[in-house]
């Protein structure tokens, strides 16, 4: 009978601690800007320094103060913080699919879907900022990449700005959309979150379970890990390129083989190929 072997502790990734960099390595200096609802005077400047101290900046220097009308003041403060960052504890949404070229995307759609992939895009609610959706859909594209209109195996419908959610659902049904792309730039009072949740609920009500289009939202203030909470399939943040979106559509919608789709979403896309 052999003696029990002691259990080895689980391997834990070593902590990678960093400090902010200002003038010299590790000096923990940061710059922060904010507005206070106070007229510009010495008391307002003192209030700004008090806020900076409560946020962990010690000492804090007031490097800029400017009146914003009679009742507000804009401040920039500079100082060192005591907070440390453990990079090993940072959680991000990793891309789980390969980036494909436009040629590879077209070839995959042609071979595996055997029809054009239909994409409907819009800015919903009161959002009139089309720069995001145009960067992804328009042929001119973004960051040196052509938009989805450039892909010959995609049929793209750009509805533009201030589209009502019921109108978006109706058009998606009429076009037999495989994917619906929504851009939200306006974020006051979390309008982008409320609009996205409303859209997701509308599509759930309008389609049988597992048959709605792929829902993709994007914008500079979205949390990329919030897809499940918002009821959509994917969230893209700032700096997303058309190639990233096109590659994701191939990954999420196209069956890996023609024999049998491997997910309800892919099955729904395959079903739309039938007359």
């Amino acid at each position: 009978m052999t003696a029990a072997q002691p259990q080895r502790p689980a391997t834990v990734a070593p902590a990678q601690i960093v400090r902010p960099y200002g003038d010299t390595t590790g000096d923990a200096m940061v710059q922060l800007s904010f507005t206070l609802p106070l007229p510009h005077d010495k008391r307002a400047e003192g209030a700004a320094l008090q806020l900076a101290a409560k946020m962990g900046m010690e000492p804090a220097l007031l490097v800029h103060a400017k009146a914003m009308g009679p009742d507000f003041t804009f401040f920039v403060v500079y100082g060192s913080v005591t907070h440390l960052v453990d990079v090993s504890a940072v959680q991000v949404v990793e891309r789980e699919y390969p980036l494909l070229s436009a040629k590879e995307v077209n070839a995959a759609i042609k071979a595996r879907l055997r029809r054009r992939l239909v994409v409907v895009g819009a800015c919903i609610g009161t959002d009139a900022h089309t720069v995001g959706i145009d960067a992804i859909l328009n042929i001119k594209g973004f960051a040196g990449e052509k938009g989805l209109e450039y892909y010959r195996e995609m049929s793209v419908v750009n509805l533009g700005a201030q589209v009502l959610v019921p109108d978006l659902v109706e058009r998606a049904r009429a076009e037999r959309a495989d994917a619906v792309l929504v851009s939200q730039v306006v974020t006051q009072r979390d309008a982008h979150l409320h609009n996205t949740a409303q859209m997701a609920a509308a599509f759930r009500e309008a389609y049988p379970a597992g048959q709605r289009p792929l829902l993709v939202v994007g914008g500079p203030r979205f949390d990329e890990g919030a897809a499940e909470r918002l009821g959509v399939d994917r969230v893209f943040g700032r700096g997303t390129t058309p190639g990233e979106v096109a590659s994701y559509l191939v990954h999420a919608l196209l069956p890996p083989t023609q024999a049998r789709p491997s997910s309800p979403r892919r099955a729904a896309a395959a079903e739309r190929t039938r007359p």
Side-chain angles (χ1 to χ4, degrees), residues 7 11 15 30 35 78 99 123 157 161 177 193 209 215 218 228 241 250:
Q7 291 185 347
T11 303
V30 299
T35 300
Y78 184 68
L99 285 178
C123 296
V157 179
L193 303 180
L215 299 181
E228 184 176 355
T241 64
V250 169

Side-chain angles (χ1 to χ4, degrees), residues 3 14 24 37 41 47 53 59 84 90 95-96 100 104 106 122 126 149 174 185-186 194 196 202 226 229 254 260:
T24 59
D41 56 19
L84 304 176
V90 174
R95 176 168 49 82
E96 72 278 19
L100 306 176
E104 290 171 327
N106 286 326
T126 59
E149 291 178 348
V185 175
V186 174
H194 299 312
T196 300
R229 183 171 72 250
L254 301 191
R260 199 168 85 188

Side-chain angles (χ1 to χ4, degrees), residues 4-269:
Q5 296 294 323
Q7 291 185 347
R8 295 181 179 180
T11 303
V12 179
Q16 183 182 353
I17 304 299
V18 298
R19 298 174 184 267
Y21 173 93
D23 300 314
T24 59
T25 301
D27 62 7
M29 299 295 286
V30 299
Q31 181 172 288
L32 176 69
S33 63
F34 54 88
T35 300
L36 291 179
L38 296 171
H40 182 206
D41 56 19
K42 290 296 184 181
R43 185 179 298 274
E45 293 184 358
L49 290 175
Q50 181 188 116
L51 175 62
K54 290 183 175 181
M55 296 177 70
M57 297 179 67
E58 185 65 39
L61 301 175
L62 181 62
V63 297
H64 179 75
K66 183 177 179 59
M68 305 289 287
D71 301 318
F72 297 85
T73 308
F74 174 76
F75 298 99
V76 178
V77 294
Y78 184 68
S80 63
V81 296
T82 58
H83 309 298
L84 304 176
V85 177
D86 181 359
V87 180
S88 65
V90 174
Q91 296 182 353
V92 296
V93 177
E94 299 284 356
R95 176 168 49 82
E96 72 278 19
Y97 54 90
L99 285 178
L100 306 176
S101 66
K103 182 177 180 180
E104 290 171 327
V105 169
N106 286 326
I109 296 173
K110 186 173 183 179
R112 290 150 58 184
L113 195 60
R114 295 177 292 172
R115 63 168 174 81
R116 299 180 79 187
L117 191 150
V118 181
V119 177
V120 175
C123 296
I124 59 175
T126 59
D127 199 329
H129 301 77
T130 62
V131 62
I133 197 70
D134 288 344
I136 300 301
L137 298 184
N138 284 3
I139 192 170
K140 62 185 179 182
F142 168 71
E145 295 186 9
K146 299 289 188 182
L148 301 192
E149 291 178 348
Y150 172 77
Y151 293 70
R152 67 175 183 272
E153 296 298 331
M154 289 192 187
S155 175
V156 177
V157 179
N158 188 346
L159 300 181
Q162 296 182 322
V163 178
L164 299 177
V165 169
D167 294 341
L168 176 61
V169 173
E170 182 180 354
R171 188 62 182 272
R173 291 178 67 93
E175 298 288 343
R176 303 187 71 185
D178 298 296
V180 173
L181 274 54
V182 167
S183 173
Q184 291 280 266
V185 175
V186 174
T187 60
Q188 283 84 350
R189 298 182 180 179
D190 289 335
H192 60 310
L193 303 180
H194 299 312
N195 289 341
T196 300
Q198 179 188 4
M199 177 199 67
F203 273 93
R204 283 197 304 269
E205 293 176 3
Y207 284 82
Q211 295 186 27
R212 67 162 173 78
L214 194 76
L215 299 181
V216 179
V217 299
R221 299 288 182 87
F222 278 108
D223 174 6
E224 292 187 339
E228 184 176 355
R229 183 171 72 250
L230 294 174
V232 299
D233 297 291
R234 188 76 178 197
V235 174
F236 285 104
R238 64 185 183 279
T240 301
T241 64
E244 289 180 82
V245 176
S247 299
Y248 170 70
L249 296 181
V250 169
H251 165 77
L253 287 172
L254 301 191
T257 64
Q258 295 183 7
R260 199 168 85 188
S262 59
S263 72
R265 194 75 62 221
R266 287 169 175 161

